[in-house]
Amino acid sequence: MSTDSGVQIVLYAVSALFVVISAFLLAHRNDLGWWALIMAVFAGPIINAMKYDLFALFYGIPLLLLAIFGLWRFSRFELKGKFIRKVTKSPLTITAVVGLIAGVILLVALRFNVFLISGTYLSATKEIWVMYFAEAVLFASFVLIARGVRAGWLLLAVGAIVNVVVYFILNPVLGMLGLQVFTAIAALYGFFLWRGLPAAASETEPTEEELALQAAAKAALDKLNEKNKK
């Protein structure tokens, strides 16, 4: 194994470790989980891109923005204590599913970066394709978690479990396998902990007809009160 390959493995192992830490913290609705995810992106995709291939920043920067989005989205929940948020559960909508699929496809395309333009991505093995999709699903699942969608934890578990299988087939490094297993465990742990969270309140605005009915009802009640006073 070359020195560069060894450094890359270490960096991605550190990145995977931060993902595990992030998942366990976010399972407890802790804001620090998003900082751990930011560190995961820096330790893996960003540093590797700056050291070996600047084109890979096209993949690393969106992942960094994804983690920052999670930090911002969690800030919209009420704070309880120093870092804990009162997260409310949101349903998994069709719009969210479509957006998730589009996001995963975009991340996979950015992962191939210049190889996508040159067409050499077509020669990639099926294991590479599966690994890229699994990694994209793993990171994209945090968007759902940021919005309080409990199903995001199951998606995170699926991405981690698929990674375990692919890593075992391609390069059975016990450290990476173990970290992916812990990521899956953390995801299932988060899914279990979030089972009792309250549902998000409806934020739909009343229609003009509803406002008119409310005004008419108030006026009638005021007249009735005036008559009672007389």
Side-chain angles (χ1 to χ4, degrees), residues 13-23 33 35-37 39-41 43 179:
V14 172
S15 176
L17 177 60
F18 273 115
V19 170
V20 174
I21 295 171
S22 171
W35 288 106
L37 188 63
M39 290 302 298
V41 176
L179 288 169

Side-chain angles (χ1 to χ4, degrees), residues 19-221:
V19 170
V20 174
I21 295 171
S22 171
F24 273 112
L25 287 172
L26 292 176
H28 290 276
R29 288 96 62 202
N30 193 315
D31 273 340
L32 294 178
W34 295 110
W35 288 106
L37 188 63
I38 289 172
M39 290 302 298
V41 176
F42 264 108
I46 298 294
I47 293 180
N48 267 289
M50 295 178 69
K51 186 173 176 60
Y52 300 109
D53 180 14
L54 285 177
F55 285 111
L57 285 175
F58 287 112
Y59 175 69
I61 290 176
L63 292 185
L64 185 61
L65 293 176
L66 183 153
I68 293 172
F69 166 78
L71 184 64
W72 168 79
R73 186 62 178 77
F74 247 45
S75 69
R76 297 180 64 184
F77 294 117
E78 185 181 348
L79 193 61
K80 176 187 176 183
K82 198 167 185 180
F83 298 111
I84 308 301
R85 295 286 175 177
K86 291 183 179 179
V87 177
T88 54
K89 284 191 296 186
S90 299
L92 181 62
T93 62
I94 297 297
T95 303
V97 172
V98 172
L100 184 72
I101 293 172
V104 168
I105 293 172
L106 177 62
L107 286 177
V108 172
L110 293 175
R111 188 78 160 85
F112 279 109
N113 57 72
V114 293
F115 296 107
L116 190 70
I117 299 172
S118 64
T120 52
Y121 73 96
L122 295 171
S123 62
T125 64
K126 62 178 182 293
E127 289 85 3
I128 294 295
W129 277 98
V130 172
M131 183 173 66
Y132 283 6
F133 267 102
E135 187 176 274
V137 166
L138 188 149
F139 279 106
S141 67
F142 283 99
V143 174
L144 296 182
I145 293 171
R147 297 179 58 248
V149 180
R150 189 179 173 219
W153 290 108
L154 291 180
L155 199 63
L156 176 59
V158 168
I161 291 169
V162 172
N163 266 335
V164 169
V165 176
V166 175
Y167 277 128
F168 185 79
I169 293 172
L170 292 180
N171 190 10
V173 180
L174 292 179
M176 290 298 290
L177 285 174
L179 288 169
Q180 294 299 323
V181 169
F182 277 113
T183 301
I185 292 172
L188 295 174
Y189 178 66
F191 183 76
F192 174 77
L193 283 188
W194 281 33
R195 70 194 188 285
L197 295 185
S202 174
E203 298 179 358
T204 56
E205 296 291 333
T207 63
E208 292 183 5
E209 290 80 9
E210 289 173 335
L211 290 174
L213 286 173
Q214 290 174 6
K218 186 177 182 302
L221 185 61

